[in-house]
Amino acid sequence: MTFASLGLIEPLQRALDELDYKIPTPVQAQAIPAVLAGRDLMAAAQTGTGKTAGFALPLLQRLMMEGPEVASNSVRALVLVPTRELAEQVHESFRTYGQHLPLRTYAVYGGVSINPQMMKLRKGIDVLVATPGRLLDLFRQNAVKFNQLQTLVLDEADRMLDLGFADELRAVYAALPKKRQTLLFSATFSEAIRLLAGQMLDDPLSIEVSPRNVAASSVKQWLIPVDKKRKTELFCHLLKKQKWTQALVFVKTRKGVDELTELLQQQGINADGIHGDKPQATRQRALDRFKAREVQILLATDVAARGLDIDDLPLVVNFDLPIVAEDYVHRIGRTGRAGNTGQAISLVCADEVNMLAAIEVLTGQLLKRVDEQDFEPEHRVPLTDASGQVLKKAKKPKKPKIVGGGGKKTLGKWLESADEPSAPPVKAVRKVPSFNTGPKKKK
Ligand code: AMP
C-alpha cells in the first residue's frame, strides 16, 4: 500500500517523500481514507504508531479541498492536546506535512504571553493546535471564533481527562458548531473516555491498531526491587554499570526531578529536568537539547513528558512508578518507537506494590523481577499476580543487611516534603468525573 493509493494529493505525497515515509503505518492506512470521507473516528493508538500523520494528512487535505478561506480570528480545524510540549510537537508535524500547502497553522498554550498569540490569531488560522486552558482564555477574550470550524481532533484524550481538563473540554465543546467532524485519539480507553466519545462522536469508525493497554512488544521491560531509601544510589550505580547512553527518567514529584537532576549534575553527568513548574522556554530548551543528544539524562514528571516523540530513545527508567497505571504504558511508549527496540527499567520499592499490581492488571502481564546484586531490599516487594492480587505481605527480614552508604540525600526524604500528594490506593482503571456535555450533536 502507498500513500498515493490512500488518495492523498500530490503536495502531501511530496512532503512524505522528502521525509522518506515509504508505506503508511496501520493506523494511517485505516484513518486516512475514513477522515478523507468525512467520518468521525475513535482510535486506540499508542504513541509511536504514526497516529499524528494519521489525522494530520487527511485533515490538511480536507482543508485544502473543501470549505471557505479562513476569516479573521477564525479557525477551521482545532487539535486539542494535553501539554505544551505536545502542542509544539503536533504543530511541527502539521508544518512539516503541510509545507507545500498554502495553509496557516499555529500552536497556542499556557505558560507564555497571550498577546502575541492574540495578534497571530487575527489573520485567521487553518489548523490551530491548543491546550484546553489557553484556548478557553483566548476564546473568552474573543481572540478566536469557531463558526468556521469543520474538524475537531482530541489527541491523547485520556490524558486530558487525567489532567483534569474535563471542565475545559466541556466549555470548548459548548462553543463549537454542532455540525463538524470529530476525531478522538486515546492510548487507553477508560469508561470516562467511552462516555466522552459517546457524547462527542457521531457514528464513529473504531480503529484499534494495537491490543488495548499493552505496550509495544519492541520494549523489553523489567523491574529491580529496591528499598526506597536506596533508589538514588541504585540509579547512579546502574547508570555507570550499564553505561546508559541516553535515558528518559520519570520521577513522581517536581521536587524529586529537581533534586535528582542537581545530584547528577554535581557528579558531572549531563542531566536536565522538566516539570510543570518550569517556564515553558526552559522546558522546551531541555527537550530540544535531549532530542539533539546534548543531554544524556532527562528527568521528567508525567505531565511534562506525555506524548513526546524522541527518535531512537534506547531507555526509559521509572525511578518511581506512576500513580495512574495507564501512565506506565505512556511512559514506556517513549522507547521502542517506529520499529526500534527499547528498554524500560522500573526501580520498585515495597510501598509501590499496589501501583505495580495495577500496572500488571492493565498490561495483562507480570513485570519480570531482576535483583541487582548488593541492592536486594530489606523490605521485600510483595509478590503479585496479574489479577491485581498482592500475594504475600512484606516480611521483616531477620537480619537487616546494610550495604553502602546511601548518601545524605535519599529520595525517601525528598518525597516526605514533596510538593505533590502521595499516591492514593491505585485501581487499574481510574474513574474520572463524568463528562456530561448536554445533548448529542446532530450532523
Ligand atoms: P507518532 O505516533 O505520530 O508520534 O509518530 C511516531 C514516529 O513515526 C514519528 O517520528 C513519525 O515521524 C514517524 N512516522 C509516522 N508515520 C510514518 C511512516 N509512514 N513511515 C515512517 N515513519 C513514520
Side-chain angles (χ1 to χ4, degrees):
M1 188 185 291
T2 62
F3 284 103
S5 70
L6 293 177
L8 289 179
I9 54 178
E10 190 278 333
L12 290 173
Q13 286 183 44
R14 197 164 7 125
L16 295 173
D17 273 350
E18 286 158 11
L19 287 167
D20 207 25
Y21 287 12
K22 295 203 163 43
I23 48 166
T25 66
V27 70
Q28 290 162 3
Q30 293 179 69
I32 291 171
V35 178
L36 285 177
R39 279 199 75 170
D40 280 6
L41 205 68
M42 170 161 163
Q46 291 173 257
T47 46
T49 54
K51 70 182 165 76
T52 316
F55 63 78
L57 292 166
L59 203 150
L60 286 165
Q61 179 153 331
R62 288 202 67 200
L63 291 170
M64 261 319 281
M65 314 297 280
E66 301 162 34
E69 209 170 292
V70 68
S72 149
N73 287 104
S74 294
V75 296
R76 296 173 64 207
L78 174 63
V79 184
L80 287 177
V81 295
T83 65
R84 303 159 188 180
E85 282 80 6
L86 197 56
E88 278 294 344
Q89 187 176 294
V90 170
H91 177 227
E92 189 52 40
S93 297
F94 270 100
R95 262 218 300 253
T96 312
Y97 301 139
Q99 61 187 294
H100 303 300
L101 298 174
L103 295 171
R104 275 200 291 271
T105 63
Y106 190 48
V108 293
Y109 41 80
V112 293
S113 170
I114 198 167
N115 287 336
Q117 297 180 346
M118 294 172 91
M119 299 276 286
K120 184 87 185 189
L121 285 165
R122 274 190 200 155
K123 275 188 168 173
I125 295 292
D126 292 290
V127 181
L128 183 67
V129 184
T131 52
R134 176 53 60 96
L135 180 75
L136 270 185
D137 282 352
L138 288 161
F139 176 68
R140 286 175 181 146
Q141 296 187 48
N142 293 323
V144 62
K145 292 188 259 178
F146 298 123
N147 48 326
Q148 281 194 325
L149 189 111
Q150 63 184 60
T151 305
L152 168 70
V153 181
L154 298 167
D155 192 16
E156 310 246 355
D158 49 348
R159 188 59 175 175
M160 284 198 273
L161 293 188
D162 281 346
L163 290 176
F165 284 134
D167 286 346
E168 283 84 353
L169 290 181
R170 184 165 39 236
V172 172
Y173 177 83
L176 299 181
K178 296 295 165 242
K179 186 177 178 311
R180 54 150 209 276
Q181 182 181 34
T182 306
L183 317 175
L184 184 148
F185 288 80
S186 193
T188 51
F189 272 83
S190 62
E191 277 311 301
I193 292 292
R194 289 183 191 282
L195 194 64
L196 176 79
Q199 289 160 339
M200 295 187 97
L201 303 177
D202 182 21
D203 184 27
L205 175 74
S206 278
I207 294 181
E208 195 162 345
V209 290
S210 53
R212 268 174 66 192
N213 299 332
V214 175
S217 56
S218 53
V219 183
K220 201 174 152 211
Q221 314 162 46
W222 72 96
L223 71 83
I224 305 179
V226 63
D227 280 331
K228 190 168 168 178
K229 63 178 190 287
R230 296 195 67 205
K231 275 196 180 184
T232 306
E233 199 190 338
L234 172 61
F235 180 87
C236 295
H237 163 83
L238 292 171
L239 191 153
K240 284 200 197 101
K241 183 181 139 189
Q242 300 183 353
K243 299 191 175 62
W244 292 344
T245 50
Q246 228 197 355
L248 177 60
V249 182
F250 288 92
V251 182
K252 188 163 68 179
T253 68
R254 297 162 186 180
K255 192 168 179 180
V257 166
D258 284 343
E259 300 217 23
L260 189 53
T261 307
E262 202 186 309
L263 194 85
L264 293 175
Q265 285 171 346
Q266 280 166 7
Q267 296 182 9
I269 291 158
N270 193 348
D272 209 340
I274 54 173
H275 58 63
D277 273 353
K278 294 207 172 192
Q280 181 54 27
T282 313
R283 282 162 65 168
Q284 196 61 47
R285 194 168 52 243
L287 194 62
D288 290 344
R289 292 186 61 231
F290 186 65
K291 286 185 179 183
R293 297 192 169 78
E294 290 162 21
V295 165
Q296 181 190 356
I297 307 290
L298 185 67
L299 300 111
T301 55
D302 284 301
V303 172
R306 177 63 183 257
L308 303 179
D309 179 32
I310 302 163
D311 283 343
D312 297 329
L313 180 62
L315 175 66
V316 166
V317 179
N318 292 312
F319 189 97
D320 299 306
L321 285 183
I323 292 170
V324 179
E326 277 94 346
D327 280 342
Y328 178 82
V329 181
H330 297 306
R331 286 179 178 191
I332 73 165
R334 308 299 101 220
T335 184
R337 312 192 84 186
N340 296 317
T341 52
Q343 296 189 334
I345 307 177
S346 301
L347 312 188
V348 179
C349 65
D351 286 3
E352 293 173 302
V353 70
N354 287 333
M355 298 176 215
L356 173 64
I359 289 163
E360 290 176 338
V361 170
L362 186 75
T363 57
Q365 64 184 67
L366 282 180
L367 263 187
K368 188 172 160 202
R369 297 177 180 219
V370 180
D371 277 323
E372 182 66 24
Q373 198 184 355
D374 296 335
F375 286 90
E376 296 88 351
E378 279 178 37
H379 299 282
R380 297 262 159 224
V381 180
L383 293 176
T384 49
D385 67 13
S387 72
Q389 294 294 312
V390 174
L391 299 177
K392 266 196 216 162
K393 290 283 163 217
K395 276 193 288 186
K396 272 225 175 283
K398 286 177 195 140
K399 197 171 143 209
K401 195 166 138 196
I402 296 159
V403 185
K408 270 191 194 159
K409 280 183 177 173
T410 63
L411 189 78
K413 199 167 158 205
W414 302 341
L415 291 182
E416 277 161 29
S417 56
D419 53 355
E420 287 162 28
S422 59
V426 178
K427 287 197 215 122
V429 177
R430 213 172 61 144
K431 287 254 181 274
V432 292
S434 101
F435 188 90
N436 185 1
T437 49
K440 191 168 165 18
K441 74 191 166 89
K442 288 189 193 70
K443 273 200 167 172

